[in-house]
Amino acid sequence: MQPLEADDPRTVGEYRLLRRLGAGGMGRVYLGRSPGGRTVAVKVVHPHFAADEEFRGRFRREVDSARRVGGEWTAPVLDADPEAPTPWVATGYVAGPSLHQAVVGHGPLPEHTVRALGAGLGEALAAVHARGLVHRDVKPSNVLLTLDGPRLIDFGIARAMDGTASLTSTGVTVGSPGYMSPEQVLGREAGPASDVFSLGAVLAYAATGTPPFPGDNSAALLYKVVHEEPELGDLDGVLRETVTACLAKDATARPSPAEVARRLAGAAGATGLVRPGWLPGPVVEGVSRRAVELLELEADDEPPAPPPVPSAPAPSPPVHATPTEPSAPPPGGPPGAFGPPPPYGAPTEDGTPPRRRRRRAALLAAGALLAATAAGGLLLFPDGLFPGGGGDDPKPDDRPPGTVPEAFVGTWEGQTVTRSGLHGSTLTLTVSEGREGEETVRMVYEITGLECRARGTVEDVSKTRLKVTERSEGDSPEVLGVKVCSGETATVVLTLDGEGRLHYASDDVGAGRPEGDLTRRK
């Protein structure tokens, strides 16, 4: 990320721009923030393209196509304005290095990483093709790596399969030499099989550290793509077989993206391979550094907290707050929860200087970031939106008042996400039988193989809602000399939604107010 320069805009549409991410043949890319606090990547086309009506029409069609792209392994298009004086498009921001950056910085990736990468990209392309689209520029710089798996980005030149508009009519190169399919090089129709060829070239690069068609110039690269066999080094086994099949000169001989995913991951799919440790350690450190940069940027972006105003001591709070009473967030973070730090200048219990405290919070969140901001946004259920918890009541429970309802008892699992869109942790939460004032809740937060454990005391009970005070349990693991578990006390609200899910919500500002929908372990 680079600071904005004098000629960079400060706002695009409703998005406030914070940093410059890069530039390409079609425009510049910025890190931005929506009015609701979501972090996005905003691509603004070059001004000379904006004056070209043919380009505007093509850009409009491309944005419409990109909006249709979905799937777990892509970054979604969130907003766009093709009619603006300078057209732009905003996508979910993925805070991870590109495959190109990872290989240049750390060398070839291990086999298990490449298989997970191929399975995820295969499923992403299957989702793209199912919507009648062709990406047409699958290459290492358009693949981002996160702790949650790979992300395929930049559908700027994707188009509908039945489209007839030429994307080269204004001199814009379609595809990248060395990763283009033979049919693209020869100017023929590029269908879904063309993306599969590019996928094979990307996987060869990830596994060997060099492109399968090396060359000193574009002409040499393009000649080899059409006429020569790929150079795959010591690649072997199912990975070599799959890559070789993808790089077949005959488009009809290539496997489908779904078949690529099946060959590499089996019936479990990409999610069976993308698990803690799927990325090698040096790449995880790079992801963590990007997370720190982003979270420090978020902290810098917060307005300074106003100085405290002396006042008379507040009366003692009631023992149990009603469901509609707002409760002030505790000063610390729930054990194992990750998210942006408190605003700069906010007071802390332990007297740590705000900037040091902010950096510590960023480090706690570093391993938990995911790309920001991929599909769908956040699910927020503030108190009072559904008084008493909302949804249909569970089956009748004749237990005495103050007793934990049977519908809560059991083990629940799910992912948490912070209010700013950052992935938190994998949460396993167990509720035992008990009543108000008893420790009947246990939490285990897991991220990249590290665990934080906590116990919870039930403070308030209704048929569909538990209010719990959470405290850390046991010693905290450390990363780079920093404790991962915050060790603070937090307030957590658990709400049954009437559809078999348990909604988890923490009101801790320092942890990013993490939330998540949990399902009962079977």
Side-chain angles (χ1 to χ4, degrees):
M1 291 187 290
Q2 300 296 323
L4 296 179
E5 298 181 1
D7 61 341
D8 287 322
R10 267 44 186 178
T11 60
V12 171
E14 63 177 5
Y15 300 95
R16 185 159 52 92
L17 304 186
L18 305 175
R19 293 289 188 274
R20 181 190 285 202
L21 296 175
M26 292 179 66
R28 295 176 178 176
V29 184
Y30 299 94
L31 181 74
R33 182 151 302 130
S34 73
R38 184 167 189 174
T39 305
V40 299
V42 182
K43 185 172 186 177
V44 181
V45 304
H46 290 308
H48 61 275
F49 284 128
D52 185 335
E53 288 303 319
E54 185 178 355
F55 176 86
R56 277 186 178 272
R58 187 166 59 253
F59 183 79
R60 188 182 305 110
R61 290 190 296 271
E62 291 162 358
V63 167
D64 289 342
S65 296
R67 287 182 186 273
R68 296 157 57 191
V69 175
E72 186 174 3
W73 311 110
T74 61
V77 171
L78 304 174
D79 197 2
D81 188 356
E83 313 304 331
T86 304
W88 57 270
V89 59
T91 64
Y93 176 67
V94 181
S98 70
L99 174 61
H100 174 75
Q101 292 170 325
V103 172
V104 168
H106 308 291
L109 301 178
E111 180 181 352
H112 73 275
T113 298
V114 179
R115 292 180 64 149
L117 175 70
L121 295 179
E123 292 179 7
L125 287 175
V128 171
H129 297 164
R131 287 158 177 78
L133 307 175
V134 183
H135 188 286
R136 306 187 84 208
D137 198 21
V138 179
K139 59 184 178 181
S141 60
N142 278 342
V143 176
L144 302 185
L145 305 178
T146 79
L147 299 179
D148 289 349
R151 295 291 187 274
L152 181 61
I153 65 166
D154 200 351
F155 294 86
I157 59 174
R159 66 178 176 87
M161 291 180 191
D162 58 355
T164 58
S166 170
L167 294 181
T168 59
S169 57
T170 59
V172 179
T173 301
V174 178
S176 300
Y179 297 94
M180 297 169 65
S181 67
E183 54 268 32
Q184 280 179 291
V185 175
L186 296 173
R188 299 171 183 168
E189 181 67 18
S194 180
D195 284 343
V196 174
F197 186 94
S198 300
L199 172 59
V202 165
L203 296 182
Y205 173 77
T208 66
T210 58
F213 303 101
D216 296 331
N217 55 66
S218 295
L221 290 174
L222 298 179
Y223 179 86
K224 289 184 177 182
V225 166
V226 175
H227 298 289
E228 297 186 4
E229 293 303 311
E231 299 179 16
L232 301 181
D234 59 357
L235 198 61
D236 59 8
V238 67
L239 199 51
R240 186 183 187 96
E241 294 172 1
T242 302
V243 169
T244 300
C246 291
L247 294 176
K249 305 297 184 186
D250 180 1
T252 62
R254 299 170 200 153
S256 68
E259 174 63 16
V260 171
R262 189 196 66 77
R263 291 186 185 189
L264 297 177
T271 55
L273 297 180
V274 176
R275 59 187 66 178
W278 88 276
L279 288 175
V283 179
V284 172
E285 291 179 7
V287 176
S288 300
R289 283 193 296 271
R290 286 176 176 266
V292 170
E293 291 176 5
L294 179 61
L295 293 172
E296 288 284 356
L297 180 62
E298 288 186 347
D300 288 336
D301 191 41
E302 293 284 350
V309 178
S311 61
S316 299
V319 175
H320 302 306
T322 62
T324 57
E325 282 183 319
S327 57
F338 302 86
Y344 177 72
T348 59
E349 272 190 344
D350 59 7
T352 307
R355 184 166 294 276
R356 187 183 306 168
R357 180 78 170 198
R358 189 177 65 193
R359 179 177 179 275
R360 176 175 177 269
L363 285 169
L364 296 181
L369 184 63
L370 321 325
T373 65
L378 305 179
L379 300 175
L380 302 179
F381 296 93
D383 292 347
L385 182 58
F386 297 116
D392 296 331
D393 283 348
K395 62 183 180 180
D397 192 334
D398 296 329
R399 301 185 182 194
T403 301
V404 175
E406 184 179 359
F408 284 94
V409 176
T411 299
W412 305 78
E413 295 177 323
Q415 299 288 325
T416 66
V417 66
T418 70
R419 178 163 294 186
S420 61
L422 307 179
H423 283 278
S425 61
T426 299
L427 170 60
T428 301
L429 184 145
T430 302
V431 181
S432 303
E433 294 185 353
R435 57 180 299 107
E436 292 177 357
E438 297 179 353
E439 287 184 354
T440 64
V441 183
R442 292 290 185 273
M443 296 90 157
V444 178
Y445 301 88
E446 188 274 331
I447 182 68
T448 62
L450 302 176
E451 286 189 354
C452 294
R453 296 178 177 271
R455 60 186 185 275
T457 301
V458 176
E459 304 292 352
D460 190 60
V461 174
S462 74
K463 288 185 178 181
T464 58
R465 183 178 181 273
L466 295 183
K467 184 177 180 181
V468 178
T469 298
E470 180 188 48
R471 299 175 179 85
S472 63
E473 184 174 44
D475 295 331
S476 170
E478 295 186 1
V479 176
L480 302 177
V482 178
K483 290 186 176 181
V484 173
C485 310
S486 66
E488 303 288 352
T489 299
T491 299
V492 170
V493 175
L494 305 175
T495 307
L496 293 169
D497 71 351
E499 297 181 2
R501 294 187 297 266
L502 181 67
H503 186 71
Y504 159 97
S506 170
D507 63 359
D508 182 73
V509 175
R513 296 178 180 172
E515 302 189 60
D517 284 319
L518 313 180
T519 57
R520 190 183 296 274
R521 178 187 289 175
K522 297 181 180 180

